Amino acid sequence: MKRFSEMFTQKRNQIGKKLCMALLMLLMVVPALALNPTTADKKRCFMDDPTNKTITFLYCVDDGYWPNETITSAYVCGSFNGWKKLDDYKLSYDSESKCWYVTVPYDKVNIPGNSGQPEYKFVINGNWLFAPSWLTDGYEFHTSDKNMIIVFSTDDFDQIKKNSEIAGTVRPLKDFDLTKEEDRAAISNFRLVPGTTQLFRSYHPFKASRSESEEKYKDIDTEHARLATVDEYAAAKGIQSDICLSGDETNTLTSYVSDNNTTYQETIPAYYQKIIDNGNVLIVNANDLIPSYNYVYAKSNSKEFGDWMTQIVDFIISDQHPAPFQIHCRLGTDRTGVICGVIAGLCGASWKDIAADYQKSNNMQIREFRDYKLLAYSFRNMLGEEPSTISNLQQALTDYFVNNGYLTVAKIEAMRNKLNATTTGINTVAANTQNDTRCYNLMGQRVAAPAKGQLVIMGNKKVVK
């Protein structure tokens, strides 16, 4: 029996060795895949392989493309890796094609930048390289960043090229007709948030972000008109409370240059000073952290983002802070765009309306473009799927914030009601309480002891207590 066992083991080992040798021989006869990029691949700086779902970045040094220099380090950095030099994105040299390259799966590279496409630069010997002049048209996004972009075979290339043209265009003040509502809304980035009647998003109320005195903004002459129009809109809409996503800058007022090289002084508008005096400004800073571009897009599923939403909703539903509300960051584009998108979704707006509203910020034409696919990426981080495929976006967002402990259904309902209160409803309350000396808030709810500065209804009048 022992002898039989030994013979069996010996035979098994022999078979195992033969199988290993056969496998080794098979591997030796399978040729390595050649890089073999075409001229078109080299001129767009990547190869798209839809079959294997990979992108191969190409830094080719022959044929007069990138400089043929001694390279000690080569990386591709982009929206997909936090613009960092990481080992997985380090380029290797292929002597046959004379190209440096790295191959990355779709799922690791398909993270959009402002264009809505994956954006990138090569970092060679520590130097960040802008899109070259010979790059095939449509593969650079024409903003001041001069990033290269990936366009997948299934993307709408013509639309992406059109977006790039818009992104690279600066609209001067002379091309705005500020007697027209459309142009006033465009220059100020001021508009109603979808799904609400009492929440307005806008450019910053008093901080200039595009001064002509800065070299990169020297062709943008609209800043003074932009700030003035935000002031006019907010005063006309009767804004009573403000949500600021870019920190407290009331002590940083300075001068700026705009409108044909005229120097202006930043000032706090009268309507905004009144909001400050009444204690109705929220500087969003949960956990001592101001919202940032990175968090609202790449980390929208973080505790920090959830805590910001808690802080904002609590502020909105408090009887101490009356509607209408204004919400903004600096440009009113990224932080404002994402948070307004979430609030709009919680208030019942469709993804189609949310995405369309998000892209309206491009109408400012200050060489800052945002494609709705960037907003979709933020939503996807929270909800685990594309917002366009979710049948009930309002319920999905509600479930996310409730299940993660940031909000309650009651708070979301209270926010929805307050942001959709109508003037008719307020007037009805006022009419019914003409001889009533008690106080009611703007939603018609009885207020036993209104806080100082709170806007309430007494008799048939709105009164600040």
Side-chain angles (χ1 to χ4, degrees):
M1 185 69 179
K2 181 178 179 182
R3 177 63 178 162
F4 176 78
S5 178
E6 290 174 351
M7 289 174 62
F8 177 79
T9 301
Q10 186 179 15
K11 191 69 173 177
R12 184 184 61 189
N13 291 342
Q14 289 174 349
I15 293 172
K17 288 179 181 178
K18 289 180 179 179
L19 287 172
C20 288
M21 282 297 288
L23 180 60
L24 181 60
M25 292 298 292
L26 180 63
L27 290 173
M28 290 175 66
V29 299
V30 175
L33 293 175
L35 188 59
N36 198 28
T38 66
T39 299
D41 294 331
K42 293 177 181 180
K43 292 198 68 174
R44 65 172 169 255
C45 294
F46 69 87
M47 295 163 56
D48 181 11
D49 182 351
T51 302
N52 294 307
K53 298 189 182 304
T54 62
I55 292 291
T56 298
F57 293 95
L58 298 169
Y59 183 85
C60 298
V61 295
D62 65 340
D63 302 327
Y65 293 119
W66 297 101
N68 193 349
E69 59 182 319
T70 299
I71 295 177
T72 57
S73 69
Y75 293 87
V76 62
C77 301
S79 56
F80 39 80
N81 62 10
W83 298 94
K84 296 177 181 177
K85 293 185 288 184
L86 303 177
D87 288 344
D88 287 349
Y89 300 88
K90 188 174 183 178
L91 277 61
S92 300
Y93 185 64
D94 176 67
S95 57
E96 185 174 340
S97 66
K98 295 183 180 179
C99 289
W100 291 78
Y101 74 98
V102 64
T103 300
V104 184
Y106 275 4
D107 60 356
K108 289 184 67 176
V109 80
N110 196 12
I111 296 174
N114 293 341
S115 62
Q117 304 298 122
E119 300 182 14
Y120 67 97
K121 283 186 172 78
F122 291 112
V123 185
I124 307 299
N125 295 339
N127 298 315
W128 291 73
L129 304 184
F130 294 96
S133 59
W134 47 259
L135 191 72
T136 301
D137 186 34
Y139 293 95
E140 173 197 349
F141 208 72
H142 295 293
T143 61
S144 56
D145 295 326
K146 294 196 71 175
N147 292 334
M148 292 169 278
I149 64 171
I150 294 170
V151 181
F152 296 96
S153 58
T154 55
D155 288 333
D156 186 341
F157 188 57
D158 290 338
Q159 182 61 54
I160 291 167
K161 286 181 66 175
K162 186 181 296 184
N163 289 348
S164 186
E165 291 170 8
I166 295 170
T169 302
V170 170
R171 186 178 181 185
L173 183 58
K174 65 180 179 62
D175 289 351
F176 284 91
D177 182 351
L178 297 182
T179 64
K180 294 181 178 179
E181 189 71 15
E182 180 181 358
D183 281 5
R184 285 169 53 78
I187 200 170
S188 63
N189 208 16
F190 193 106
R191 58 188 178 276
L192 195 64
V193 173
T196 78
T197 62
Q198 298 293 317
L199 178 63
F200 295 87
R201 56 179 294 179
S202 76
Y203 199 80
H204 199 284
F206 56 84
K207 286 299 294 183
S209 296
R210 293 294 183 269
S211 175
E212 283 183 83
S213 60
E214 296 183 63
E215 179 64 23
K216 60 183 176 179
Y217 303 136
K218 63 182 180 180
D219 55 345
I220 300 177
D221 65 349
T222 46
E223 198 68 3
H224 185 65
R226 194 180 324 282
L227 293 173
T229 308
V230 171
D231 180 6
E232 292 165 7
Y233 262 129
K237 299 297 183 182
I239 299 297
Q240 300 293 319
S241 299
D242 180 77
I243 301 167
C244 177
L245 303 169
S246 53
D248 185 1
E249 297 185 271
T250 54
N251 293 321
T252 66
L253 303 182
T254 186
S255 61
Y256 64 96
V257 179
S258 181
D259 189 4
N260 199 23
N261 288 312
T262 303
T263 299
Y264 296 94
Q265 176 64 37
E266 291 176 345
T267 57
I268 298 176
Y271 88 90
Y272 198 85
Q273 186 61 60
K274 184 176 179 181
I275 292 174
I276 294 173
D277 293 343
N278 289 337
N280 290 323
V281 175
L282 170 65
I283 304 296
V284 178
N285 63 347
N287 307 310
D288 295 322
L289 188 66
I290 301 296
S292 67
Y293 177 103
N294 187 42
Y295 267 94
V296 299
Y297 290 121
K299 298 183 179 180
S300 54
N301 59 345
S302 66
K303 182 179 185 302
E304 288 79 6
F305 187 92
D307 287 344
W308 290 328
M309 288 304 304
T310 301
Q311 192 177 25
I312 291 167
V313 172
D314 284 346
F315 178 82
I316 290 173
I317 65 178
S318 169
D319 283 341
Q320 297 180 31
H321 309 301
F325 293 85
Q326 181 176 9
I327 184 169
H328 61 86
C329 48
R330 270 300 192 89
L331 304 183
T333 299
D334 295 307
R335 291 167 286 190
T336 304
V338 173
I339 288 175
C340 284
V342 171
I343 292 174
L346 288 170
C347 288
S350 68
W351 170 248
K352 181 180 178 181
D353 288 344
I354 292 170
D357 176 73
Y358 175 82
Q359 290 208 218
K360 286 181 181 178
S361 293
N362 297 325
N363 295 336
M364 286 190 289
Q365 291 188 258
I366 54 174
R367 213 179 284 112
E368 291 282 352
F369 187 92
R370 304 293 185 270
D371 188 86
Y372 74 91
K373 285 183 279 188
L374 182 56
L375 179 64
Y377 171 63
S378 174
F379 273 59
R380 191 167 73 237
N381 283 337
M382 283 184 282
L383 306 178
E385 56 183 308
E386 289 292 335
S388 59
T389 66
I390 298 174
S391 59
N392 189 333
L393 184 60
Q394 181 182 36
Q395 189 61 56
L397 285 167
T398 298
D399 290 345
Y400 172 80
F401 286 103
V402 171
N403 293 341
N404 284 283
Y406 300 120
L407 298 170
T408 64
V409 172
K411 283 187 176 184
I412 294 171
E413 184 66 26
M415 177 185 70
R416 188 181 304 127
N417 289 339
K418 190 166 183 179
L419 292 184
N420 282 287
T422 63
T423 303
T424 302
I426 294 170
N427 290 342
T428 300
V429 173
N432 292 338
T433 60
Q434 186 165 357
N435 298 314
D436 190 345
T437 58
R438 295 176 298 176
C439 296
Y440 297 82
N441 66 21
L442 299 190
M443 294 168 62
Q445 299 166 334
R446 178 77 173 85
V447 181
K452 183 179 179 181
Q454 182 180 355
L455 184 66
V456 297
I457 297 172
M458 290 185 66
N460 61 350
K461 296 180 180 180
K462 287 187 282 185
V463 180
V464 177
K465 296 297 288 182

